Structure formats: structure tokens, C-alpha cells
Amino acid sequence: MNRKTLVPAAVIGLLAPVLAACGGPDGGDTSDDAIVVGTTDRFSASGDAPAPFDPAYAYDAGSWNVLRQTVQTLMHLPRGGGEPEPEAAERCGFTDNGNERFECTLRSGLKFSDGSELTADDVKYSIERVLTIKDKNGPSGLLAGIDTVETSGERKVIFHLKAADATFPYKLATPAAGIVNPEAYDAKGLRSGFDVDASGPYTLKTEVEKNTVVKAVFTKNPHYKGNLTPKSDHRIVLRPFDDADSMGDSLKSGDIDLMARGVTPEQIRTLSDDADDKIDVVEMPGLEMRYLGFDTDAPAVRNKAVRQAMAQLVDRGEITSKVYGTAAEPLYSLVPATITGHTNSFFNEYGHPSTAKARALLDKAGVRTPVELTLNYTSDHYGPGTKEEFELLKKQLNASGLFDVDIKGTDWLKFRPSELDGEYAVYGMGWFPDFPDADNFIAPFLGQDNFLASPYANSRIRNTLIPESRQETDRLSAAEPIEDVQDIVARDVPVLPLWQGKQYVAARDDITGVEWALNSSSNMQLWELGRGVGD
């Protein structure tokens, strides 16, 4: 019979969402036992997004899942979650009592995929390149705490931080800190196109049509030396689909072997109930979150009472139950419920949806109603439920009589630059964590040079609470400042959290390692996949 599997506690830390892309349209990738993975993520290059796979530019879940397989980092998150472990390094650690000096010694004999030697100077070059380019779409904010990088000999790299940061090892485990070949990447400019030259467990070849990847093929890197062991000697092919239905049809027909990102609630139900014993559905906890972001300088939402009234009216339970079913749960904080330091700040502040309380907030602030707003969302990045979710948000807000809301969908390649340029007063976004710590659900949204380019700036959060939380190596000890941040966010509403996602992987029953295919930060671990014998 078909099985719907709940990942046990031993591996709970490891699965949330996200996948990369690829694929030819003919499903002809299985002749050599290649493992074919489907996704609804798409990879396109444009004037606004010229370098999808450049670590100095890429800062979305899909692109990072390509880089995770191909670009080596000093540290990586272990298979079942927990503290980061050395990867390109043989050892790493803080060498002072203040968590401000971090030192790594590289493994001996490291090489790039072209066979050239990889040294400490290449690590320094790669890190400094991200900070120098400082692309507005990119992940440089993750490394902004670095003051200087120095090397000692060919194998030692020393990071001097601007302030204490116990989360720094996690940041070195992200593609933002990926090591690239200086021969292929300009120190001051992005590398356009889809090529990757690095030292990870796989090399990458892509097929591209009209500036969009139609197939990405990962092959074992013969020069790789690190802490990861690919479980299959065969290629792994990542294949993008225009929609979840066609991806599901390809899984049933055997054209692909596994799908994760983009699986719909309806597919979860039908695949779990299907009598076909060739496909297994694995359910796992997730750290994906969705939220509304605000340009707090925009006239329509500049008054805090408008944002508070929206927080008072939104019915998260209705959104999750009607749109996402069992795949999502209401979220009342920027920090997901499974992360140390989480508190239900928005529920504590607003309780259940109430038109009367929302009206009182607006009346007290002297806001004329109905407030006219456009809720902007991306039509092609987060799955088919996004439009339905925003239609329901519109209905909820307008039903109060306090708002006159319209909605507008835009494709991702236009949506993201427009959001960064401040063209939207209100917009919907998703977040897949860089690493599983509360800091990564706070600093990217509220710190200086934040990922949203938000004008909101709270000096207590930036200058006191975030630094205080980063001083604590024991993350339980950081809970108090983290909780204070969440309470401030609930009162000021620079962002409005909506829901937290569960994750599902559907795979044909001869694919092994499915339970390890995603780690606790929602990152695809293709090296864990193999092909065995189906039931």
C-alpha cells in the first residue's frame, strides 16, 4: 500500500522545504539510473537578475539549493541537525572568550573542480568579494559582522568580527560564504549566466533556453575532498515544472523520482491515499514562513495604526485551513514555533480577529476609513496557493469595512526588484532560513542593510537586543532579548507573520535517503539520495 510517513524525532531537525531546478521535457534522464528531482522553482537570468548562481548575488531557496551541491563552505550543518561541523575546514572555532575571533584550518589537498589548488587566500578572496560587491539582492548582510579576514600560510583563515556573534559558525555554513575559484569570478563584479566553478561534491552542467534553465545535471566532483559522501555514483538531474500538477503527473509516470518544493495540499492528500504502492509521501516539520512586509515610509501604511489594524483583522486560521490544509499552521511571530526563543507575540498583542478592536485602533489614531491599499504578491514563486491566499486576505480586510483592498500579482523577476526599490506599500513574501536559529528570523528583517530594504529601524533592536542575543553561545540564554524583539515587532508591525509551513517529499519507493534529503534549514542534500529496490 501507499505510505505517508512522519519523520521520527531523530530526524525532525532536518526537513523543511526547498529544492533546485532542472530538466529536459522528455523525461529521458533515467536511462543511466540518474535520479531525477522535480520542482516548481525556476531559474532565469535577466537584466535585474543576471547571476542566479553567483554566491554574491543568489539569496533565494532555489538558487541556494544549487549552490549547496556545488560550492563548498568552511562549515556545514550535520545530517540530523545540531551545531555546524567543519566541511572544507578540518577544524574551526572561536579562539577568544568574547566570540569575536574565529579561526579555521583547511583540509590538506583541497582542489577546485578543475584540479587547481584551493588555499586560504581563495577563502579570503571569496568572502571579501561578497562584501565588496554588496549586491542589494544578495546575502552580504549575513557576513556584515566581519571586520577583517586574514590568512596564515596556505591553510589557516582568521576572521575578526566587529562584535561578538555566537551564530557566526552558522553563517559560514551558508552559500554566502561559499568558496569560488578566483580565476572564474571577478573580485568586483557578478558572474552572469549559470556556470559554477567551485569545490563542492558535485559539478554542474545546465541546459538553457531563452535565458531559463531547462535542465541542471549534477555529477560527482572527482577532486572533492570534504565531509560529505555522495550515496550514488549516478548523475542527479533537477528538473523544473511550470506547475505542480504536471510535476505530479511525471512522478506517477516515473519520469521523475522525487518532488518536494511545490507539492500542493491536494497532492499530499491524493498521493497519501492512493492505492499505488510505488510512491511514498514523507511528512516533516518545516521552518518556512510567509508574511506581509510593509514599506513603513509609504503614505498608505506610514501610520502604525493601519498596520496594527491589519494585524487585528487577519484570520490566520482561516487562511491555513482553507488554502493550505495540513501543510501550514498559523504563525504569531517572526520566529517559528519550533525555534528556541519563540513566543506568540502577535496573539498576545491582538488575540482573535476583531473588527471592533481594529476600528478602535484606527479611530484613536485619527485614520480615515476605508483605508485604500494594494496587496502585492508574486504570482510564480511560492506556489499556486499564493493567489488564493491573497484573495482571502482581501476578503478578510474588506469585510471589516475599514479597508478597501485590491490585490496584484507580479512575476518574481519583476516583483523582487520592485519590492527592493520601494514600489510596494504592502507585499507578500516567504522566508526559508539560512540557518535554524532565531537570529536568522530577526536580523535579516530588522537589522541594518536588511534583506527587505525596509526603512523601519528600531534602535533598541539593532543596538541592544540583537547584539545581546549574539553574545550567548548557549542559545537558551539568548531567549530573553529574542522575546523582547518579537514583542516590539508585534507592537510596531513592520512585518506581519501569517503562517509556518510543514514540508512534504513524495518519492518513488526505490529512492533511498529521502528522509535525509532536506536538512533543518530547508536545504536540499542531494548527496544523500540513492537508488535501491522498491517494495
Side-chain angles (χ1 to χ4, degrees), residues 7-89:
V7 174
V11 295
I12 260 179
L14 85 115
L15 288 351
V18 146
L19 214 6
C22 16
D26 57 3
D29 297 306
T30 59
S31 59
D32 64 350
D33 275 341
I35 297 171
V36 186
V37 179
T39 180
T40 54
D41 279 328
R42 296 180 65 80
F43 304 98
S44 299
S46 69
D48 291 323
F53 298 152
D54 188 327
Y57 175 85
Y59 200 14
D60 66 273
S63 296
W64 269 26
N65 276 299
V66 172
L67 295 178
R68 293 279 182 184
Q69 324 308 317
T70 55
V71 177
Q72 199 170 17
T73 50
L74 291 170
M75 309 283 286
H76 81 113
L77 294 178
R79 190 191 214 198
E83 299 292 322
E85 297 176 345
E87 213 292 76

Side-chain angles (χ1 to χ4, degrees), residues 205-393:
K205 287 192 178 297
T206 58
E207 294 182 13
V208 179
E209 295 178 1
K210 297 180 180 179
N211 294 321
T212 298
V213 173
V214 295
K215 180 185 292 186
V217 180
F218 296 91
T219 304
K220 284 179 65 176
N221 175 10
H223 298 292
Y224 170 72
K225 186 174 183 180
N227 201 33
L228 307 173
T229 304
K231 301 300 189 294
S232 173
D233 290 328
H234 299 290
R235 300 178 306 152
I236 297 182
V237 177
L238 295 178
R239 197 181 153 192
F241 289 84
D242 291 333
D243 56 73
D245 289 340
S246 58
M247 180 171 64
D249 290 341
S250 289
L251 180 66
K252 291 179 180 179
S253 68
D255 286 343
I256 66 173
D257 298 295
L258 180 148
M259 66 178 189
R261 183 155 167 80
V263 182
T264 67
E266 178 63 20
Q267 286 176 322
I268 294 166
R269 186 185 64 80
T270 57
L271 287 173
S272 299
D273 295 341
D274 199 321
D276 182 1
D277 63 355
K278 298 298 184 183
I279 297 175
D280 298 330
V281 179
V282 180
E283 177 188 322
M284 57 208 71
L287 296 178
E288 172 188 7
M289 58 173 280
R290 298 287 174 83
Y291 59 94
L292 293 179
F294 298 92
D295 178 355
T296 53
D297 281 348
V301 295
R302 182 184 298 145
N303 192 318
K304 178 169 63 175
V306 174
R307 307 192 301 270
Q308 292 173 328
M310 294 175 69
Q312 185 65 72
L313 291 170
V314 167
D315 187 339
R316 296 166 176 82
E318 184 181 34
I319 292 170
T320 55
S321 63
K322 289 188 175 180
V323 180
Y324 297 104
T326 61
E329 297 176 333
L331 180 63
Y332 296 93
S333 170
L334 268 180
V335 179
T338 50
I339 294 292
T340 299
H342 162 83
T343 183
N344 286 319
S345 296
F346 274 81
F347 188 83
N348 297 339
E349 185 73 21
Y350 301 101
H352 296 288
S354 169
T355 297
K357 290 181 180 179
R359 180 179 290 108
L361 288 166
L362 295 172
D363 287 346
K364 183 178 180 180
V367 176
R368 295 180 62 182
T369 59
V371 178
E372 295 185 359
L373 287 177
T374 297
L375 306 185
N376 293 274
Y377 66 93
T378 173
S379 56
D380 63 347
H381 195 65
Y382 296 123
T386 306
K387 181 179 180 181
E388 185 179 354
E389 176 182 350
F390 273 73
E391 288 173 342
L392 189 51
L393 282 167

